[in-house]
Amino acid sequence: MAKKKQVKYVTQPQRILSVIEDYYERGLLGTVAGKWTPEYRLSAGLQLANDFYRGRMSSVSAINYEKDRVDTSISNNEPDFVLDARDRYQKAIKDVPAEFWGVVSDVCCFDKRIKGDGVSERKRRETKFVKICDLCRGLDYVIKGYLSNGWRL
């Protein structure tokens, strides 16, 4: 009797969602009612992350003054697409208030989840809800920043 050959099916790997995409899928970007829809907030968050990484904002470093240097000027040999992304990023975040910027940058740029603070479970849920509301309000300012400069989301 011949053995049947086992067929292995190749499945496509699942793409891992970023935190902002996960919050959108779970409906958390619609927590605060306002002028902008959750789709606009998702688009603004993804565009902000894209500009952050394309503008190499995470790799910008300061001059080390401990080293002896002849020329201490900062060279500006960056490609045009990097400078354009930095310009978009800086103009988009210009009007975001400081109380919203921390959670917006953590979620969009650094892909960190929002965690609640507090001793009790109730207090953690309350602070997490407040931070999600701050994220939505902060993304509204990011949307205004992108649209006021003539960029589409």
Side-chain angles (χ1 to χ4, degrees):
M1 197 186 234
K3 288 186 176 180
K4 278 191 170 183
K5 195 176 190 182
Q6 284 188 335
V7 178
K8 292 185 179 179
Y9 294 101
V10 178
T11 59
Q12 293 293 328
Q14 294 291 324
R15 188 173 81 80
I16 298 173
L17 297 177
S18 66
V19 173
I20 189 95
E21 290 172 321
D22 181 43
Y23 287 168
Y24 172 75
E25 292 289 323
R26 292 171 41 197
L28 297 177
L29 294 182
T31 303
V32 176
K35 181 178 179 181
W36 307 107
T37 63
E39 290 80 15
Y40 266 104
R41 290 177 180 149
L42 172 66
S43 180
L46 292 175
Q47 183 64 44
L48 187 69
N50 187 26
D51 289 340
F52 180 79
Y53 287 107
R54 287 183 57 122
R56 300 178 184 165
M57 300 301 286
S58 61
S59 65
V60 173
S61 60
I63 296 174
N64 186 358
Y65 290 106
E66 293 177 357
K67 291 183 180 179
D68 292 332
R69 294 179 183 249
V70 175
D71 182 22
T72 58
S73 64
I74 299 173
S75 62
N76 203 5
N77 296 335
E78 299 288 348
D80 287 339
F81 74 91
V82 172
L83 299 175
D84 291 341
R86 281 186 192 169
D87 185 49
R88 277 193 311 270
Y89 176 80
Q90 289 168 349
K91 286 181 179 177
I93 67 168
K94 181 177 65 172
D95 296 329
V96 178
E99 61 265 16
F100 302 145
W101 174 241
V103 70
V104 170
S105 67
D106 283 348
V107 171
C108 297
C109 300
F110 299 110
D111 208 33
K112 292 182 182 176
R113 294 199 170 277
I114 295 174
K115 295 184 180 172
D117 301 327
V119 178
S120 67
E121 180 65 27
R122 180 176 179 220
K123 188 68 175 169
R124 278 193 293 274
R125 279 185 287 179
E126 286 174 359
T127 56
K128 187 174 179 178
F129 178 76
V130 168
K131 288 180 183 180
I132 289 171
C133 292
D134 289 348
L135 172 67
C136 293
R137 291 186 191 107
L139 286 173
D140 290 348
Y141 283 101
V142 172
I143 292 169
K144 289 177 190 175
Y146 276 121
L147 296 180
S148 68
N149 289 305
W151 295 306
R152 291 181 8 175
L153 291 176

